Amino acid sequence: MLRPRPAARILGSTDLLLRVHLLPGLRNGASGVISATANIAPGPMRKLFDSWQGADADAQQEKISALRNAVQAYPVIPLLKALVAHYREE
C-alpha cells in the first residue's frame, strides 16, 4: 500500500513580502528556500540549513542576509553570473 508523502513547503522570492530568509522559513515549517544567494554562498546556506535549530543560527542568518543585501545593491543577474564565473575561475 502506498503511503502519502508529507508535503514539502519551499519558499521563493515572492514569499514573505520579498524578504525571504532561510532561517525564518525553516522556523515556520518550510522545507527550504529557492534562493539566488545559494549560488554564491552554498556553504553558509547549507550550514544554516543543517544547524537551523542551533544557538548560532541567528548569527549565521545575519551573515547570509548581509551578503544578500550587498548583492542586491547591483543588477542581480549580471552580478551573480560574474561572481559564479569568478569563483569557478572561468
Side-chain angles (χ1 to χ4, degrees):
M1 180 166 148
L2 294 176
R3 294 184 183 156
R5 292 183 182 181
R9 293 179 63 200
I10 301 174
L11 301 177
S13 62
T14 59
D15 297 301
L16 300 177
L17 302 175
L18 299 175
R19 299 294 297 166
V20 174
H21 299 292
L22 179 57
L23 185 57
L26 293 172
R27 286 178 174 163
N28 285 291
S31 301
V33 296
I34 298 171
S35 172
T37 308
N39 289 304
I40 57 172
M45 293 286 287
R46 181 62 201 217
K47 180 180 176 189
L48 178 56
F49 180 81
D50 290 339
S51 63
W52 68 273
Q53 294 176 313
D56 68 335
D58 288 299
Q60 289 181 58
Q61 179 63 67
E62 286 300 318
K63 289 178 182 177
I64 293 168
S65 296
L67 173 62
R68 176 66 183 213
N69 291 335
V71 166
Q72 286 182 315
Y74 300 92
V76 177
I77 300 302
L79 177 66
L80 284 175
K81 287 182 177 184
L83 286 170
V84 169
H86 172 77
Y87 286 104
R88 287 187 180 171
E89 298 179 2
E90 293 178 357

Coordinates of all heavy atoms in Angstrom, one line a residue:
M1 N 0.9 -1.2 0.0 CA 0.0 0.0 0.0 C 0.9 1.2 0.0 O 1.8 1.3 0.8 CB -0.9 0.0 1.2 CG -1.8 1.1 1.3 SD -3.0 0.8 2.6 CE -3.3 2.3 3.3
L2 N 0.6 2.2 -0.9 CA 1.4 3.4 -0.9 C 0.9 4.3 0.2 O -0.2 4.5 0.5 CB 1.1 4.1 -2.3 CG 1.6 3.4 -3.5 CD1 1.2 4.1 -4.7 CD2 3.1 3.2 -3.4
R3 N 1.9 4.9 0.8 CA 1.7 5.9 1.9 C 1.9 7.3 1.3 O 2.9 7.5 0.6 CB 2.6 5.7 3.1 CG 2.3 4.4 3.7 CD 3.2 4.2 5.0 NE 3.0 2.9 5.5 CZ 3.8 2.3 6.3 NH1 5.0 2.8 6.6 NH2 3.5 1.1 6.8
P4 N 1.1 8.2 1.6 CA 1.3 9.6 1.1 C 2.5 10.2 1.8 O 2.8 10.0 2.9 CB 0.0 10.3 1.5 CG -0.6 9.5 2.6 CD -0.1 8.1 2.4
R5 N 3.2 11.0 1.0 CA 4.4 11.7 1.5 C 3.9 13.0 2.1 O 3.0 13.6 1.6 CB 5.3 12.0 0.3 CG 6.0 10.8 -0.3 CD 7.0 11.3 -1.3 NE 7.6 10.2 -2.0 CZ 8.5 10.4 -2.9 NH1 8.9 11.6 -3.3 NH2 9.1 9.3 -3.5
P6 N 4.7 13.5 3.1 CA 4.3 14.8 3.6 C 4.7 15.8 2.6 O 5.6 15.7 1.8 CB 5.3 14.9 4.9 CG 6.3 13.9 4.7 CD 5.8 12.8 3.8
A7 N 3.8 16.9 2.5 CA 4.0 17.9 1.6 C 5.3 18.7 1.9 O 5.6 19.0 3.1 CB 2.8 18.8 1.5
A8 N 6.0 19.1 0.9 CA 7.2 20.0 1.1 C 6.7 21.4 1.0 O 5.9 21.8 0.1 CB 8.3 19.7 0.1
R9 N 7.2 22.3 1.9 CA 7.0 23.7 1.8 C 8.3 24.4 1.5 O 9.2 24.3 2.3 CB 6.4 24.2 3.1 CG 5.0 23.6 3.4 CD 4.5 24.1 4.8 NE 4.4 25.6 4.7 CZ 4.3 26.3 5.8 NH1 4.3 25.8 7.0 NH2 4.1 27.6 5.7
I10 N 8.3 25.0 0.3 CA 9.5 25.7 -0.1 C 9.2 27.1 -0.4 O 8.2 27.4 -1.1 CB 10.1 25.0 -1.4 CG1 10.5 23.6 -1.1 CG2 11.3 25.8 -1.9 CD1 10.9 22.8 -2.3
L11 N 9.9 28.1 0.1 CA 9.7 29.5 -0.1 C 10.6 30.0 -1.2 O 11.7 29.6 -1.3 CB 10.0 30.3 1.2 CG 9.2 29.8 2.4 CD1 9.6 30.6 3.7 CD2 7.7 30.0 2.2
G12 N 10.1 30.9 -2.0 CA 10.8 31.6 -3.0 C 10.7 33.1 -2.8 O 10.2 33.6 -1.8
S13 N 11.2 33.8 -3.8 CA 11.3 35.3 -3.7 C 10.0 36.0 -3.6 O 10.0 37.2 -3.2 CB 12.2 35.9 -4.8 OG 11.5 35.6 -6.0
T14 N 8.9 35.4 -3.9 CA 7.6 36.1 -3.8 C 7.0 35.9 -2.4 O 5.9 36.5 -2.1 CB 6.6 35.6 -4.9 OG1 6.4 34.2 -4.7 CG2 7.2 35.9 -6.2
D15 N 7.6 35.1 -1.6 CA 7.0 34.9 -0.2 C 7.6 35.9 0.8 O 8.6 36.5 0.6 CB 7.4 33.4 0.2 CG 6.7 32.4 -0.7 OD1 5.5 32.4 -0.8 OD2 7.5 31.6 -1.3
L16 N 6.8 36.0 1.8 CA 7.3 36.8 3.0 C 7.6 38.3 2.6 O 8.6 38.8 3.0 CB 8.4 36.2 3.7 CG 8.2 34.8 4.3 CD1 9.5 34.3 4.9 CD2 7.1 34.8 5.3
L17 N 6.8 38.9 1.7 CA 7.0 40.2 1.3 C 8.3 40.5 0.7 O 9.0 41.5 0.9 CB 6.7 41.2 2.5 CG 5.4 41.1 3.1 CD1 5.3 42.0 4.4 CD2 4.3 41.5 2.2
L18 N 8.8 39.5 -0.2 CA 10.0 39.6 -0.9 C 11.3 39.6 0.0 O 12.3 40.0 -0.4 CB 10.0 40.8 -1.8 CG 9.0 40.8 -2.9 CD1 9.0 42.1 -3.7 CD2 9.1 39.7 -3.8
R19 N 11.1 39.3 1.2 CA 12.3 39.2 2.2 C 12.4 37.8 2.6 O 12.2 37.5 3.8 CB 12.0 40.2 3.4 CG 11.9 41.6 3.0 CD 13.1 42.2 2.5 NE 14.2 42.2 3.5 CZ 15.4 42.4 3.2 NH1 15.8 42.6 2.0 NH2 16.3 42.4 4.2
V20 N 12.8 37.0 1.7 CA 13.0 35.6 2.1 C 14.3 35.3 2.8 O 15.4 35.8 2.3 CB 12.9 34.7 0.8 CG1 13.2 33.2 1.1 CG2 11.6 34.8 0.2
H21 N 14.2 34.7 3.9 CA 15.4 34.3 4.6 C 15.2 32.8 5.0 O 14.1 32.4 5.4 CB 15.6 35.1 5.9 CG 15.8 36.6 5.5 ND1 16.9 37.1 4.9 CD2 15.0 37.6 5.8 CE1 16.8 38.4 4.8 NE2 15.6 38.7 5.3
L22 N 16.3 32.1 4.9 CA 16.2 30.6 5.2 C 15.7 30.3 6.6 O 14.8 29.5 6.8 CB 17.6 30.0 4.9 CG 17.7 28.5 5.2 CD1 16.7 27.7 4.4 CD2 19.1 28.0 4.9
L23 N 16.3 31.0 7.6 CA 16.0 30.7 9.0 C 14.6 30.9 9.3 O 13.9 30.0 9.9 CB 17.0 31.4 9.9 CG 16.8 31.1 11.4 CD1 17.0 29.6 11.6 CD2 17.8 31.9 12.2
P24 N 14.0 32.1 9.1 CA 12.5 32.2 9.4 C 11.7 31.2 8.7 O 10.7 30.7 9.2 CB 12.2 33.6 9.0 CG 13.5 34.3 9.0 CD 14.5 33.3 8.6
G25 N 12.0 30.9 7.4 CA 11.3 29.9 6.7 C 11.3 28.5 7.4 O 10.2 27.9 7.6
L26 N 12.5 28.1 7.8 CA 12.6 26.8 8.5 C 11.8 26.8 9.8 O 11.2 25.8 10.1 CB 14.1 26.4 8.7 CG 14.9 26.2 7.4 CD1 16.3 26.0 7.7 CD2 14.3 24.9 6.7
R27 N 11.9 27.9 10.5 CA 11.2 28.0 11.8 C 9.7 28.0 11.6 O 9.0 27.7 12.5 CB 11.7 29.3 12.5 CG 13.1 29.2 13.1 CD 13.5 30.4 13.8 NE 14.8 30.3 14.4 CZ 15.5 31.3 14.8 NH1 15.2 32.5 14.6 NH2 16.7 31.0 15.4
N28 N 9.2 28.3 10.4 CA 7.8 28.4 10.1 C 7.3 27.2 9.3 O 6.3 27.2 8.7 CB 7.4 29.7 9.4 CG 7.4 30.8 10.4 OD1 6.6 30.9 11.3 ND2 8.4 31.7 10.3
G29 N 8.2 26.1 9.3 CA 7.8 24.9 8.7 C 8.2 24.7 7.2 O 7.8 23.7 6.6
A30 N 8.9 25.6 6.6 CA 9.4 25.4 5.3 C 10.4 24.2 5.2 O 11.1 24.0 6.1 CB 10.0 26.6 4.7
S31 N 10.4 23.6 4.0 CA 11.4 22.5 3.8 C 12.7 23.1 3.3 O 13.7 22.4 3.3 CB 10.9 21.5 2.8 OG 9.7 21.0 3.3
G32 N 12.7 24.3 2.8 CA 13.8 25.0 2.2 C 13.4 26.3 1.5 O 12.3 26.7 1.7
V33 N 14.4 26.9 0.8 CA 14.1 28.1 0.0 C 14.7 27.9 -1.4 O 15.6 27.1 -1.6 CB 14.6 29.4 0.7 CG1 13.9 29.7 2.0 CG2 16.1 29.3 0.8
I34 N 14.2 28.7 -2.3 CA 14.8 28.8 -3.6 C 15.5 30.2 -3.5 O 14.8 31.2 -3.4 CB 13.8 28.7 -4.7 CG1 13.1 27.3 -4.7 CG2 14.4 29.0 -6.1 CD1 12.0 27.2 -5.6
S35 N 16.8 30.2 -3.6 CA 17.5 31.5 -3.3 C 18.7 31.7 -4.2 O 19.5 30.8 -4.4 CB 18.0 31.4 -1.9 OG 18.8 32.5 -1.6
A36 N 18.7 32.8 -4.8 CA 19.9 33.2 -5.6 C 21.2 33.2 -4.8 O 22.3 33.0 -5.3 CB 19.7 34.5 -6.3
T37 N 21.0 33.6 -3.5 CA 22.2 33.6 -2.6 C 22.9 32.3 -2.5 O 24.1 32.2 -2.4 CB 21.7 34.1 -1.2 OG1 21.0 35.3 -1.3 CG2 22.9 34.3 -0.3
A38 N 22.1 31.2 -2.7 CA 22.8 29.9 -2.6 C 23.7 29.6 -3.8 O 24.6 28.8 -3.7 CB 21.7 28.8 -2.6
N39 N 23.6 30.4 -4.9 CA 24.5 30.3 -6.0 C 25.9 30.8 -5.6 O 26.9 30.3 -6.2 CB 24.0 31.0 -7.2 CG 22.8 30.3 -7.8 OD1 22.9 29.1 -8.1 ND2 21.7 31.0 -7.9
I40 N 26.0 31.8 -4.8 CA 27.3 32.4 -4.4 C 27.7 32.0 -3.0 O 28.9 32.3 -2.7 CB 27.2 33.9 -4.6 CG1 26.1 34.6 -3.8 CG2 27.1 34.3 -6.1 CD1 26.2 36.1 -3.8
A41 N 26.9 31.5 -2.2 CA 27.2 31.1 -0.8 C 26.6 29.8 -0.5 O 25.9 29.7 0.5 CB 26.8 32.2 0.1
P42 N 26.8 28.7 -1.2 CA 26.2 27.5 -0.9 C 26.6 26.9 0.4 O 25.8 26.3 1.1 CB 26.6 26.5 -2.1 CG 27.8 27.1 -2.6 CD 27.7 28.6 -2.4
G43 N 27.9 27.1 0.8 CA 28.4 26.6 2.1 C 27.7 27.1 3.3 O 27.1 26.4 4.1
P44 N 27.6 28.5 3.4 CA 26.9 29.0 4.5 C 25.4 28.7 4.5 O 24.8 28.5 5.6 CB 27.1 30.5 4.4 CG 28.4 30.7 3.6 CD 28.4 29.5 2.7
M45 N 24.8 28.6 3.3 CA 23.4 28.3 3.3 C 23.2 26.9 3.7 O 22.3 26.6 4.5 CB 22.9 28.5 1.8 CG 22.8 29.9 1.3 SD 21.5 30.9 2.0 CE 20.1 30.2 1.2
R46 N 24.0 25.9 3.3 CA 23.9 24.5 3.7 C 24.1 24.4 5.2 O 23.5 23.6 5.9 CB 24.9 23.7 2.9 CG 24.8 22.2 3.3 CD 23.4 21.7 3.0 NE 23.1 20.5 3.7 CZ 22.4 19.5 3.2 NH1 21.9 19.5 2.0 NH2 22.1 18.4 3.9
K47 N 25.2 25.1 5.7 CA 25.5 25.0 7.1 C 24.3 25.5 8.0 O 23.9 24.8 9.0 CB 26.7 25.9 7.5 CG 27.1 25.9 8.9 CD 28.3 26.8 9.2 CE 28.5 26.8 10.7 NZ 29.5 27.8 11.1
L48 N 23.6 26.6 7.6 CA 22.5 27.0 8.3 C 21.3 26.0 8.2 O 20.6 25.8 9.1 CB 22.0 28.4 7.8 CG 20.8 29.0 8.4 CD1 20.9 29.1 9.9 CD2 20.5 30.4 7.8
F49 N 21.1 25.5 7.0 CA 20.1 24.5 6.8 C 20.3 23.3 7.7 O 19.3 22.8 8.3 CB 20.0 24.0 5.3 CG 19.0 23.0 5.1 CD1 17.7 23.4 4.8 CD2 19.3 21.6 5.0 CE1 16.7 22.4 4.6 CE2 18.4 20.7 4.8 CZ 17.0 21.1 4.6
D50 N 21.5 22.9 7.9 CA 21.8 21.7 8.7 C 21.8 22.0 10.2 O 21.6 21.1 11.0 CB 23.2 21.2 8.4 CG 23.3 20.5 7.0 OD1 22.2 20.1 6.5 OD2 24.4 20.4 6.5
S51 N 21.9 23.3 10.6 CA 22.0 23.6 12.0 C 21.1 24.7 12.4 O 21.3 25.5 13.4 CB 23.5 24.0 12.4 OG 23.8 25.2 11.7
W52 N 19.9 24.8 11.7 CA 19.0 25.9 12.0 C 18.4 26.0 13.4 O 18.0 27.0 13.8 CB 17.9 25.9 10.9 CG 16.9 24.8 11.0 CD1 17.0 23.6 10.4 CD2 15.7 24.8 11.7 NE1 16.0 22.8 10.7 CE2 15.1 23.5 11.5 CE3 15.0 25.7 12.4 CZ2 13.8 23.2 12.0 CZ3 13.7 25.4 13.0 CH2 13.2 24.1 12.7
Q53 N 18.5 24.9 14.1 CA 18.0 24.9 15.5 C 19.1 25.2 16.5 O 18.8 25.2 17.7 CB 17.3 23.6 15.8 CG 16.0 23.4 15.0 CD 15.4 22.1 15.2 OE1 16.0 21.1 15.2 NE2 14.1 22.1 15.4
G54 N 20.3 25.4 16.0 CA 21.4 25.7 16.9 C 21.5 27.1 17.5 O 20.8 28.0 17.0
A55 N 22.4 27.2 18.4 CA 22.5 28.5 19.1 C 23.0 29.6 18.3 O 22.7 30.8 18.5 CB 23.4 28.3 20.4
D56 N 23.8 29.3 17.2 CA 24.3 30.4 16.4 C 23.6 30.6 15.1 O 24.0 31.3 14.2 CB 25.8 30.1 16.1 CG 26.0 28.9 15.2 OD1 25.1 28.0 15.2 OD2 27.0 28.9 14.5
A57 N 22.4 30.0 15.0 CA 21.6 30.1 13.7 C 21.3 31.6 13.4 O 21.4 31.9 12.2 CB 20.3 29.3 13.9
D58 N 20.9 32.4 14.3 CA 20.6 33.8 14.0 C 21.8 34.5 13.5 O 21.7 35.3 12.5 CB 20.0 34.5 15.3 CG 18.6 34.1 15.6 OD1 17.7 34.2 14.7 OD2 18.4 33.5 16.7
A59 N 23.0 34.3 14.1 CA 24.2 34.9 13.6 C 24.6 34.4 12.2 O 25.0 35.2 11.3 CB 25.4 34.6 14.6
Q60 N 24.3 33.2 11.9 CA 24.6 32.7 10.5 C 23.6 33.3 9.5 O 24.1 33.8 8.5 CB 24.3 31.1 10.5 CG 25.4 30.3 11.2 CD 25.0 28.8 11.0 OE1 24.9 28.3 9.9 NE2 24.8 28.1 12.2
Q61 N 22.4 33.5 9.9 CA 21.4 34.1 9.0 C 21.8 35.6 8.8 O 21.7 36.1 7.7 CB 20.0 34.1 9.6 CG 18.9 34.7 8.7 CD 18.8 34.1 7.3 OE1 18.4 32.9 7.2 NE2 19.2 34.8 6.3
E62 N 22.3 36.3 9.8 CA 22.7 37.7 9.6 C 23.8 37.8 8.6 O 23.8 38.7 7.8 CB 23.1 38.3 11.0 CG 21.9 38.5 11.9 CD 20.9 39.5 11.3 OE1 21.4 40.5 10.7 OE2 19.7 39.3 11.5
K63 N 24.8 36.9 8.7 CA 25.9 36.9 7.7 C 25.4 36.7 6.3 O 25.8 37.4 5.3 CB 26.9 35.9 8.0 CG 27.7 36.3 9.3 CD 28.8 35.2 9.6 CE 29.5 35.6 10.9 NZ 30.5 34.5 11.2
I64 N 24.5 35.7 6.1 CA 23.9 35.5 4.8 C 23.1 36.7 4.3 O 23.1 37.1 3.2 CB 23.0 34.2 4.9 CG1 23.9 33.0 5.1 CG2 22.2 34.0 3.6 CD1 23.2 31.7 5.5
S65 N 22.3 37.3 5.2 CA 21.5 38.4 4.9 C 22.3 39.6 4.5 O 22.0 40.3 3.5 CB 20.6 38.8 6.0 OG 19.7 37.8 6.3
A66 N 23.5 39.8 5.1 CA 24.4 40.9 4.8 C 24.9 40.7 3.4 O 25.0 41.7 2.6 CB 25.5 41.0 5.8
L67 N 25.3 39.5 3.0 CA 25.7 39.2 1.7 C 24.6 39.5 0.7 O 24.8 40.1 -0.3 CB 26.2 37.7 1.6 CG 26.6 37.3 0.2 CD1 27.7 38.1 -0.4 CD2 26.9 35.8 0.2
R68 N 23.4 39.0 1.0 CA 22.3 39.2 0.1 C 22.0 40.7 -0.1 O 21.8 41.1 -1.3 CB 21.0 38.5 0.6 CG 19.8 38.7 -0.2 CD 19.9 38.1 -1.5 NE 18.7 38.4 -2.3 CZ 18.2 37.6 -3.2 NH1 18.7 36.4 -3.4 NH2 17.1 37.9 -3.8
N69 N 22.1 41.5 0.9 CA 21.9 42.9 0.8 C 22.9 43.6 -0.1 O 22.6 44.5 -0.8 CB 21.8 43.6 2.2 CG 20.5 43.1 2.9 OD1 19.5 42.8 2.3 ND2 20.6 43.2 4.2
A70 N 24.2 43.1 0.1 CA 25.3 43.7 -0.7 C 25.1 43.3 -2.2 O 25.3 44.2 -3.1 CB 26.6 43.1 -0.2
V71 N 24.6 42.1 -2.5 CA 24.4 41.7 -3.9 C 23.3 42.5 -4.5 O 23.3 42.9 -5.6 CB 24.1 40.2 -3.9 CG1 23.5 39.8 -5.2 CG2 25.4 39.4 -3.6
Q72 N 22.2 42.8 -3.7 CA 21.1 43.5 -4.2 C 21.3 44.9 -4.5 O 20.5 45.6 -5.2 CB 19.9 43.4 -3.3 CG 19.3 42.0 -3.3 CD 18.1 41.9 -2.3 OE1 18.1 42.4 -1.2 NE2 17.0 41.3 -2.8
A73 N 22.5 45.4 -4.2 CA 22.8 46.8 -4.5 C 23.2 47.0 -5.9 O 23.4 48.1 -6.4 CB 23.9 47.3 -3.5
Y74 N 23.3 45.9 -6.7 CA 23.8 45.9 -8.0 C 22.7 45.1 -8.9 O 21.9 44.4 -8.3 CB 25.1 45.2 -8.2 CG 26.2 45.9 -7.4 CD1 26.5 45.5 -6.1 CD2 26.9 47.0 -7.9 CE1 27.5 46.1 -5.3 CE2 27.8 47.6 -7.2 CZ 28.1 47.2 -5.9 OH 29.1 47.9 -5.1
P75 N 22.8 45.3 -10.2 CA 21.9 44.4 -11.1 C 22.2 43.0 -10.8 O 23.3 42.5 -11.0 CB 22.2 44.8 -12.5 CG 22.8 46.2 -12.3 CD 23.5 46.2 -11.0
V76 N 21.2 42.3 -10.2 CA 21.4 40.9 -9.6 C 21.9 39.9 -10.6 O 22.9 39.2 -10.4 CB 20.2 40.5 -8.9 CG1 20.4 39.1 -8.3 CG2 19.8 41.4 -7.8
I77 N 21.2 39.7 -11.8 CA 21.6 38.6 -12.7 C 23.0 38.8 -13.2 O 23.8 37.8 -13.1 CB 20.6 38.5 -13.8 CG1 19.2 38.2 -13.3 CG2 21.0 37.4 -14.8 CD1 19.0 37.0 -12.4
P78 N 23.4 40.0 -13.8 CA 24.8 40.1 -14.2 C 25.8 39.9 -13.1 O 26.9 39.3 -13.3 CB 24.9 41.5 -14.8 CG 23.5 41.9 -15.1 CD 22.6 41.1 -14.1
L79 N 25.5 40.4 -11.9 CA 26.4 40.2 -10.8 C 26.6 38.7 -10.4 O 27.7 38.3 -10.2 CB 25.9 41.0 -9.6 CG 26.8 40.9 -8.3 CD1 28.2 41.5 -8.5 CD2 26.1 41.5 -7.1
L80 N 25.5 38.0 -10.3 CA 25.5 36.6 -10.0 C 26.4 35.8 -11.0 O 27.2 35.0 -10.7 CB 24.2 36.0 -9.9 CG 23.4 36.3 -8.6 CD1 22.0 35.7 -8.7 CD2 24.1 35.8 -7.4
K81 N 26.2 36.1 -12.3 CA 26.9 35.5 -13.3 C 28.4 35.8 -13.2 O 29.3 34.9 -13.3 CB 26.4 35.9 -14.7 CG 25.1 35.3 -15.0 CD 24.7 35.7 -16.4 CE 23.3 35.0 -16.8 NZ 22.9 35.3 -18.2
A82 N 28.8 37.0 -12.9 CA 30.2 37.4 -12.7 C 30.8 36.7 -11.5 O 31.9 36.2 -11.6 CB 30.3 38.9 -12.6
L83 N 30.0 36.7 -10.4 CA 30.6 36.0 -9.2 C 30.8 34.5 -9.4 O 31.8 34.0 -9.0 CB 29.6 36.3 -8.0 CG 29.7 37.7 -7.4 CD1 28.5 37.9 -6.4 CD2 31.0 38.0 -6.8
V84 N 29.8 33.9 -10.0 CA 29.9 32.4 -10.2 C 31.1 32.2 -11.1 O 31.9 31.3 -10.9 CB 28.6 31.8 -10.8 CG1 28.8 30.4 -11.3 CG2 27.5 31.9 -9.7
A85 N 31.3 32.9 -12.2 CA 32.4 32.8 -13.1 C 33.7 33.0 -12.4 O 34.7 32.3 -12.6 CB 32.3 33.7 -14.3
H86 N 33.8 34.0 -11.5 CA 35.0 34.3 -10.8 C 35.4 33.2 -9.9 O 36.5 32.8 -9.9 CB 34.8 35.6 -10.0 CG 35.9 35.9 -9.1 ND1 37.1 36.4 -9.5 CD2 36.1 35.7 -7.7 CE1 37.9 36.6 -8.5 NE2 37.3 36.1 -7.4
Y87 N 34.5 32.7 -9.1 CA 34.8 31.6 -8.2 C 35.0 30.3 -8.8 O 35.7 29.4 -8.3 CB 33.8 31.6 -7.0 CG 33.9 32.7 -6.1 CD1 33.1 33.8 -6.1 CD2 35.0 32.7 -5.2 CE1 33.3 34.9 -5.2 CE2 35.3 33.8 -4.4 CZ 34.4 34.9 -4.4 OH 34.6 35.9 -3.5
R88 N 34.5 30.1 -10.0 CA 34.8 28.9 -10.8 C 36.0 29.1 -11.6 O 36.4 28.1 -12.3 CB 33.6 28.6 -11.7 CG 32.4 28.0 -10.9 CD 31.3 27.6 -11.9 NE 30.2 27.1 -11.2 CZ 29.0 26.8 -11.8 NH1 28.9 26.9 -13.1 NH2 28.0 26.3 -11.1
E89 N 36.6 30.2 -11.6 CA 37.8 30.6 -12.4 C 37.6 30.4 -13.8 O 38.4 29.9 -14.5 CB 39.0 29.8 -11.8 CG 39.3 30.2 -10.4 CD 40.5 29.4 -9.8 OE1 41.1 28.6 -10.6 OE2 40.8 29.6 -8.7
E90 N 36.4 30.8 -14.3 CA 36.1 30.7 -15.8 C 36.6 32.0 -16.5 O 36.6 33.0 -16.0 CB 34.6 30.5 -16.0 CG 34.2 29.2 -15.4 CD 32.6 29.0 -15.6 OE1 31.9 29.9 -16.1 OE2 32.2 27.9 -15.3

